[in-house]
């Protein structure tokens, strides 16, 4: 039982490059989330998907796009990376009632 | 909109002493409440959660939390900390298909 799998674990981008962070869960959860974690700011919600086919903005959506490809997969895309997007990114999933969240191991992204 | 406030950015505690971390939430109804712990360079681990019922919740690693509706609080406690409890702790509130986190409290344990 893998839980939530995020790839890649580490990434270095140059300013202006694009990339997609992948996330997959095998718990049949309805809701999936992307957070970024920066020192002193906790986890800030970028986007979430309450169910397959829906996505909504969180606190800090600018510069990001998401795709809920199917119930299992929720990807985060940076179209034109900026140094301000240097952060640790976490994917998470919950059941519909948000009774417990399961997290991926994180992606450490550096934009130079 | 739901929100979570953790008033203490950093707490230093001696090994063997008690620990209390504060969490206040804002939400129209009773949300689901969580405490997570993150050790350096690691992911998040669930310590405990509250949905309803008994307002004192027991979790893993000897932690407990008390839900106080009148104060919109969900404070985390441990009677006697161990050096391995040094970590960052996050309070979270879930409802409306969203899970929102506080800014976190970093706990340092001194010998």
């Amino acid at each position: 039982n893998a839980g939530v799998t995020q790839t890649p674990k580490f990434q270095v981008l140059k300013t202006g490059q694009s990339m997609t962070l992948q996330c997959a869960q095998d718990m049949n959860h309805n809701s999936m989330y992307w957070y970024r974690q920066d020192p002193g700011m906790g986890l800030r919600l970028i986007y979430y998907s309450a169910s397959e086919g829906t996505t909504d903005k969180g606190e800090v959506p600018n510069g990001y796009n998401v795709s809920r490809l199917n119930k299992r997969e929720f990807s985060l895309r940076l179209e034109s990376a900026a140094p301000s997007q240097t952060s640790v990114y976490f994917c998470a999933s919950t059941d519909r009632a948000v009774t417990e969240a399961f997290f991926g191991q994180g992606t450490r992204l550096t934009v130079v | 909109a739901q929100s979570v406030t953790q008033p203490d950015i950093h707490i230093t505690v001696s090994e063997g002493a008690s620990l209390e971390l504060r969490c206040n939430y804002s939400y129209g109804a009773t949300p689901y409440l969580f405490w997570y712990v993150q050790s350096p360079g690691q992911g998040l681990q669930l310590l405990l959660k509250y949905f309803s019922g008994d307002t004192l919740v027991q979790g893993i690693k000897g932690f407990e939390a008390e839900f106080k509706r009148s104060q919109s609080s969900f404070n985390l406690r441990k009677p006697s900390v161990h050096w391995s409890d040094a970590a960052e702790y996050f309070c979270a509130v879930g409802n409306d298909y969203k899970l929102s986190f506080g800014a976190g409290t970093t706990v340092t344990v001194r010998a």
Side-chain angles (χ1 to χ4, degrees):
Chain A
N1 186 358
V4 179
T5 303
Q6 257 182 264
T7 56
K9 287 187 170 54
F10 301 94
Q11 184 71 49
V12 178
L13 290 178
K14 294 182 178 179
T15 298
Q17 286 185 318
S18 63
M19 78 161 296
T20 300
L21 281 65
Q22 306 286 353
C23 177
Q25 52 91 8
D26 61 3
M27 294 167 286
N28 202 36
H29 282 164
N30 288 301
S31 302
M32 298 184 73
Y33 309 79
W34 277 105
Y35 295 90
R36 59 176 290 172
Q37 183 178 24
D38 303 289
M41 305 192 78
L43 280 83
R44 292 182 293 169
L45 184 63
I46 304 171
Y47 271 92
Y48 68 102
S49 171
S51 61
E52 185 179 355
T54 69
T55 60
D56 286 285
K57 295 178 180 179
E59 303 169 63
V60 289
N62 291 344
Y64 305 96
N65 286 300
V66 291
S67 295
R68 184 74 183 266
L69 304 169
N70 48 55
K71 192 170 186 178
R72 290 187 64 248
E73 298 173 288
F74 188 40
S75 62
L76 178 72
R77 183 161 178 82
L78 287 72
E79 290 291 352
S80 178
S84 61
Q85 294 178 304
T86 293
S87 187
V88 180
Y89 291 84
F90 286 97
C91 177
S93 71
T94 68
D95 57 16
R96 185 178 294 280
V98 198
T99 55
E100 184 167 351
F102 292 82
F103 285 84
Q105 284 302 301
T107 297
R108 188 172 295 274
L109 174 68
T110 302
V111 182
V112 297
Chain B
Q2 61 198 40
S3 66
V4 183
T5 302
Q6 292 180 246
D8 304 304
I9 296 172
H10 189 208
I11 288 179
T12 298
V13 61
S14 298
E15 192 169 15
S18 64
L19 174 68
E20 181 168 12
L21 304 182
R22 296 183 291 164
C23 173
N24 295 98
Y25 69 90
S26 172
Y27 186 67
T30 300
Y32 299 140
L33 296 162
F34 308 84
W35 275 100
Y36 285 85
V37 61
Q38 185 182 35
S39 297
Q42 302 297 311
L44 283 86
Q45 181 181 24
L46 180 68
L47 284 175
L48 48 77
K49 57 188 177 184
Y50 172 79
F51 299 150
S52 65
D54 193 345
T55 57
L56 187 62
V57 181
Q58 302 297 320
I60 63 171
K61 303 185 178 188
F63 284 92
E64 65 179 25
E66 186 172 13
F67 170 63
K68 292 186 177 179
R69 182 190 306 274
S70 61
Q71 298 176 19
S72 296
S73 69
F74 188 56
N75 294 348
L76 182 72
R77 298 193 293 255
K78 185 169 184 177
S80 177
V81 299
H82 186 262
W83 64 265
S84 61
D85 293 323
E88 191 162 18
Y89 293 79
F90 294 97
C91 182
V93 57
N95 215 326
D96 292 343
Y97 313 112
K98 284 173 60 176
L99 184 63
S100 300
F101 285 82
T105 299
T106 300
V107 173
T108 298
V109 180
R110 60 182 174 220

